[in-house]
Amino acid sequence: MKRIKEYYFYKKPLHILSYDFGDFYLYDTFIVGEVKEDVVISWEAQGKFLVDELHSIYQDKSKELIYISHRINDYSVVPSDWLKFKEYDIKFKGYCIVNYTKRGFFNSMLEKVFVPKLQTFSSLKEALVWAKSFEAVILDSSCYIP
């Protein structure tokens, strides 16, 4: 499993937010999050902080964003905390998870109970094609997806 930086369609993002719990690559119309190994993501520990950071960068554009959780590492999300993300100020146009393991796939099915519109994919390329289908993601030739 490669990090987004290792893909041929990677283009320098507008911002990279690096924390002890993960790295987040911010583009005009989408965000790719790569959480570090063995982290447990909760609203209180990381979620509210990250959402506040994203809101300060994107401000009122958040409703036009797609969030791609690129799960290259084994970590977990407190499933019920999805409700807190949903109720907070920043709301995304679409959410998806890229899983590379059966365990990850089953975990995302549990999360889908809390976020019914959540999509799952088995490659980052598939997730970006899906994000592009919203016509919110405009990719230039330096990050072309064939």
mmCIF file of all heavy atoms in Angstrom, residues 3-13 16 25 27 142-144:
data_model
loop_
_atom_site.group_PDB
_atom_site.id
_atom_site.type_symbol
_atom_site.label_atom_id
_atom_site.label_comp_id
_atom_site.label_asym_id
_atom_site.label_seq_id
_atom_site.Cartn_x
_atom_site.Cartn_y
_atom_site.Cartn_z
ATOM 1 N N ARG A 3 1.521 5.384 -0.039
ATOM 2 C CA ARG A 3 0.976 6.676 0.398
ATOM 3 C C ARG A 3 0.640 7.496 -0.833
ATOM 4 O O ARG A 3 1.159 7.252 -1.910
ATOM 5 C CB ARG A 3 2.012 7.399 1.258
ATOM 6 C CG ARG A 3 2.335 6.647 2.529
ATOM 7 C CD ARG A 3 3.280 7.420 3.363
ATOM 8 N NE ARG A 3 2.591 8.689 3.636
ATOM 9 C CZ ARG A 3 3.023 9.592 4.481
ATOM 10 N NH1 ARG A 3 4.116 9.396 5.154
ATOM 11 N NH2 ARG A 3 2.358 10.706 4.675
ATOM 12 N N ILE A 4 -0.185 8.488 -0.660
ATOM 13 C CA ILE A 4 -0.606 9.299 -1.804
ATOM 14 C C ILE A 4 0.602 9.930 -2.512
ATOM 15 O O ILE A 4 0.615 10.051 -3.725
ATOM 16 C CB ILE A 4 -1.649 10.380 -1.415
ATOM 17 C CG1 ILE A 4 -2.211 11.026 -2.683
ATOM 18 C CG2 ILE A 4 -1.089 11.366 -0.435
ATOM 19 C CD1 ILE A 4 -3.380 11.932 -2.467
ATOM 20 N N LYS A 5 1.643 10.268 -1.775
ATOM 21 C CA LYS A 5 2.832 10.888 -2.369
ATOM 22 C C LYS A 5 3.523 9.978 -3.382
ATOM 23 O O LYS A 5 4.264 10.452 -4.226
ATOM 24 C CB LYS A 5 3.843 11.243 -1.278
ATOM 25 C CG LYS A 5 3.430 12.394 -0.417
ATOM 26 C CD LYS A 5 4.521 12.662 0.600
ATOM 27 C CE LYS A 5 4.212 13.854 1.444
ATOM 28 N NZ LYS A 5 5.300 14.153 2.377
ATOM 29 N N GLU A 6 3.292 8.674 -3.295
ATOM 30 C CA GLU A 6 3.953 7.710 -4.168
ATOM 31 C C GLU A 6 3.192 7.425 -5.450
ATOM 32 O O GLU A 6 3.686 6.703 -6.310
ATOM 33 C CB GLU A 6 4.180 6.404 -3.403
ATOM 34 C CG GLU A 6 5.061 6.577 -2.181
ATOM 35 C CD GLU A 6 5.101 5.320 -1.333
ATOM 36 O OE1 GLU A 6 5.461 4.257 -1.871
ATOM 37 O OE2 GLU A 6 4.759 5.412 -0.135
ATOM 38 N N TYR A 7 1.990 7.960 -5.605
ATOM 39 C CA TYR A 7 1.199 7.728 -6.800
ATOM 40 C C TYR A 7 1.584 8.700 -7.895
ATOM 41 O O TYR A 7 1.908 9.863 -7.629
ATOM 42 C CB TYR A 7 -0.298 7.876 -6.501
ATOM 43 C CG TYR A 7 -0.892 6.670 -5.819
ATOM 44 C CD1 TYR A 7 -0.910 6.573 -4.436
ATOM 45 C CD2 TYR A 7 -1.430 5.631 -6.564
ATOM 46 C CE1 TYR A 7 -1.465 5.466 -3.803
ATOM 47 C CE2 TYR A 7 -1.983 4.524 -5.950
ATOM 48 C CZ TYR A 7 -1.997 4.446 -4.575
ATOM 49 O OH TYR A 7 -2.536 3.365 -3.960
ATOM 50 N N TYR A 8 1.478 8.233 -9.150
ATOM 51 C CA TYR A 8 1.848 9.082 -10.274
ATOM 52 C C TYR A 8 0.920 10.277 -10.421
ATOM 53 O O TYR A 8 1.294 11.283 -11.001
ATOM 54 C CB TYR A 8 1.872 8.267 -11.567
ATOM 55 C CG TYR A 8 0.515 7.760 -12.007
ATOM 56 C CD1 TYR A 8 -0.259 8.497 -12.890
ATOM 57 C CD2 TYR A 8 0.014 6.560 -11.537
ATOM 58 C CE1 TYR A 8 -1.509 8.042 -13.275
ATOM 59 C CE2 TYR A 8 -1.230 6.100 -11.931
ATOM 60 C CZ TYR A 8 -1.984 6.849 -12.795
ATOM 61 O OH TYR A 8 -3.218 6.394 -13.178
ATOM 62 N N PHE A 9 -0.301 10.194 -9.906
ATOM 63 C CA PHE A 9 -1.224 11.321 -10.050
ATOM 64 C C PHE A 9 -1.145 12.294 -8.881
ATOM 65 O O PHE A 9 -1.905 13.236 -8.820
ATOM 66 C CB PHE A 9 -2.660 10.848 -10.245
ATOM 67 C CG PHE A 9 -3.146 9.855 -9.218
ATOM 68 C CD1 PHE A 9 -3.552 10.274 -7.962
ATOM 69 C CD2 PHE A 9 -3.171 8.515 -9.514
ATOM 70 C CE1 PHE A 9 -3.999 9.372 -7.031
ATOM 71 C CE2 PHE A 9 -3.606 7.596 -8.584
ATOM 72 C CZ PHE A 9 -4.014 8.022 -7.347
ATOM 73 N N TYR A 10 -0.200 12.045 -7.957
ATOM 74 C CA TYR A 10 -0.047 12.965 -6.834
ATOM 75 C C TYR A 10 0.459 14.303 -7.355
ATOM 76 O O TYR A 10 1.379 14.374 -8.143
ATOM 77 C CB TYR A 10 0.930 12.398 -5.813
ATOM 78 C CG TYR A 10 1.310 13.380 -4.728
ATOM 79 C CD1 TYR A 10 0.434 13.655 -3.695
ATOM 80 C CD2 TYR A 10 2.525 14.041 -4.753
ATOM 81 C CE1 TYR A 10 0.748 14.552 -2.706
ATOM 82 C CE2 TYR A 10 2.866 14.942 -3.762
ATOM 83 C CZ TYR A 10 1.973 15.191 -2.738
ATOM 84 O OH TYR A 10 2.295 16.088 -1.761
ATOM 85 N N LYS A 11 -0.172 15.337 -6.910
ATOM 86 C CA LYS A 11 0.256 16.698 -7.219
ATOM 87 C C LYS A 11 0.395 17.407 -5.885
ATOM 88 O O LYS A 11 -0.345 17.116 -4.958
ATOM 89 C CB LYS A 11 -0.804 17.395 -8.073
ATOM 90 C CG LYS A 11 -0.429 18.806 -8.423
ATOM 91 C CD LYS A 11 -1.559 19.497 -9.154
ATOM 92 C CE LYS A 11 -1.197 20.942 -9.331
ATOM 93 N NZ LYS A 11 -2.310 21.774 -9.674
ATOM 94 N N LYS A 12 1.321 18.278 -5.804
ATOM 95 C CA LYS A 12 1.502 18.998 -4.551
ATOM 96 C C LYS A 12 0.184 19.617 -4.119
ATOM 97 O O LYS A 12 -0.421 20.406 -4.835
ATOM 98 C CB LYS A 12 2.567 20.075 -4.716
ATOM 99 C CG LYS A 12 2.907 20.768 -3.423
ATOM 100 C CD LYS A 12 4.042 21.751 -3.620
ATOM 101 C CE LYS A 12 4.222 22.627 -2.436
ATOM 102 N NZ LYS A 12 4.829 22.077 -1.294
ATOM 103 N N PRO A 13 -0.294 19.236 -2.944
ATOM 104 C CA PRO A 13 -1.572 19.783 -2.464
ATOM 105 C C PRO A 13 -1.446 21.241 -2.051
ATOM 106 O O PRO A 13 -0.340 21.780 -1.926
ATOM 107 C CB PRO A 13 -1.887 18.895 -1.258
ATOM 108 C CG PRO A 13 -0.597 18.298 -0.864
ATOM 109 C CD PRO A 13 0.292 18.276 -2.060
ATOM 110 N N ILE A 16 -0.548 20.631 3.482
ATOM 111 C CA ILE A 16 -0.379 19.323 4.116
ATOM 112 C C ILE A 16 -0.424 19.572 5.612
ATOM 113 O O ILE A 16 0.352 20.375 6.140
ATOM 114 C CB ILE A 16 0.948 18.642 3.739
ATOM 115 C CG1 ILE A 16 1.022 18.404 2.232
ATOM 116 C CG2 ILE A 16 1.105 17.314 4.502
ATOM 117 C CD1 ILE A 16 2.363 17.851 1.752
ATOM 118 N N TYR A 25 -3.882 15.698 3.256
ATOM 119 C CA TYR A 25 -3.491 16.392 2.038
ATOM 120 C C TYR A 25 -4.699 17.147 1.523
ATOM 121 O O TYR A 25 -5.706 16.540 1.138
ATOM 122 C CB TYR A 25 -2.974 15.374 1.015
ATOM 123 C CG TYR A 25 -1.807 14.588 1.563
ATOM 124 C CD1 TYR A 25 -2.018 13.426 2.305
ATOM 125 C CD2 TYR A 25 -0.500 15.032 1.399
ATOM 126 C CE1 TYR A 25 -0.952 12.717 2.840
ATOM 127 C CE2 TYR A 25 0.562 14.333 1.936
ATOM 128 C CZ TYR A 25 0.330 13.177 2.655
ATOM 129 O OH TYR A 25 1.382 12.485 3.201
ATOM 130 N N TYR A 27 -6.627 19.606 -1.033
ATOM 131 C CA TYR A 27 -6.710 20.094 -2.404
ATOM 132 C C TYR A 27 -7.890 21.053 -2.491
ATOM 133 O O TYR A 27 -8.607 21.259 -1.524
ATOM 134 C CB TYR A 27 -6.900 18.918 -3.364
ATOM 135 C CG TYR A 27 -5.715 17.976 -3.379
ATOM 136 C CD1 TYR A 27 -5.620 16.933 -2.449
ATOM 137 C CD2 TYR A 27 -4.688 18.135 -4.296
ATOM 138 C CE1 TYR A 27 -4.525 16.080 -2.453
ATOM 139 C CE2 TYR A 27 -3.601 17.290 -4.300
ATOM 140 C CZ TYR A 27 -3.521 16.261 -3.381
ATOM 141 O OH TYR A 27 -2.445 15.422 -3.375
ATOM 142 N N SER A 142 -1.437 17.273 -14.495
ATOM 143 C CA SER A 142 -0.357 16.786 -13.637
ATOM 144 C C SER A 142 -0.837 15.752 -12.631
ATOM 145 O O SER A 142 -0.035 15.124 -11.970
ATOM 146 C CB SER A 142 0.326 17.947 -12.924
ATOM 147 O OG SER A 142 -0.583 18.593 -12.075
ATOM 148 N N CYS A 143 -2.135 15.556 -12.494
ATOM 149 C CA CYS A 143 -2.641 14.479 -11.627
ATOM 150 C C CYS A 143 -3.773 13.749 -12.350
ATOM 151 O O CYS A 143 -4.777 13.417 -11.790
ATOM 152 C CB CYS A 143 -3.065 15.003 -10.271
ATOM 153 S SG CYS A 143 -4.300 16.287 -10.277
ATOM 154 N N TYR A 144 -3.551 13.498 -13.628
ATOM 155 C CA TYR A 144 -4.535 12.840 -14.489
ATOM 156 C C TYR A 144 -4.804 11.409 -14.044
ATOM 157 O O TYR A 144 -3.894 10.667 -13.718
ATOM 158 C CB TYR A 144 -4.011 12.846 -15.918
ATOM 159 C CG TYR A 144 -4.839 12.040 -16.866
ATOM 160 C CD1 TYR A 144 -6.109 12.446 -17.239
ATOM 161 C CD2 TYR A 144 -4.355 10.844 -17.390
ATOM 162 C CE1 TYR A 144 -6.881 11.698 -18.124
ATOM 163 C CE2 TYR A 144 -5.111 10.096 -18.269
ATOM 164 C CZ TYR A 144 -6.372 10.531 -18.629
ATOM 165 O OH TYR A 144 -7.126 9.773 -19.484
#
